[in-house]
Amino acid sequence: MTETKTLFLLRHAKPVWQTATITDLERPLCEAGRIAANAIGMLLSKERIDPELIMSSPAVRAKETIEIAHQTASLSAGVQYHDAI
């Protein structure tokens, strides 16, 4: 019998507005985004969701989202960053 896998898709939290001084990939999270990423981590912890594999875009806002959620939830999986995402 094969094990059923579950796929979770998570969009990055709210970033700062794009300006002429930073590229789209460089946009960090705004304060509300950091709060939301922390809430995502708390939800993952509460629901006892601990993924085997985490893949993310290398965009700053995506990295910050997963890093905050990862720390808050004390996830065990490492994060792989892929340009194609």
Side-chain angles (χ1 to χ4, degrees):
M1 180 179 255
T2 60
E3 180 184 349
T4 301
K5 300 286 185 179
T6 302
L7 173 67
F8 293 95
L9 299 176
L10 175 65
R11 186 174 189 271
H12 62 77
K14 186 175 179 72
V16 298
W17 291 103
Q18 188 167 359
T19 67
T21 59
I22 58 174
T23 68
D24 184 53
L25 285 175
E26 296 172 327
R27 289 191 308 150
L29 295 179
C30 67
E31 185 58 29
R34 287 187 197 91
I35 292 168
N38 188 62
I40 291 165
M42 290 189 309
L43 179 63
L44 291 172
S45 180
K46 177 184 174 201
E47 297 295 324
R48 297 183 180 168
I49 298 170
D50 192 4
E52 292 178 28
L53 173 66
I54 300 170
M55 295 190 304
S56 174
S57 160
V60 171
R61 62 191 176 275
K63 282 182 170 183
E64 288 181 338
T65 299
I66 196 57
E67 288 168 2
I68 292 168
H70 195 285
Q71 182 177 4
T72 300
S74 298
L75 301 179
S76 57
V79 181
Q80 297 176 7
Y81 296 100
H82 298 275
D83 291 337
I85 299 177

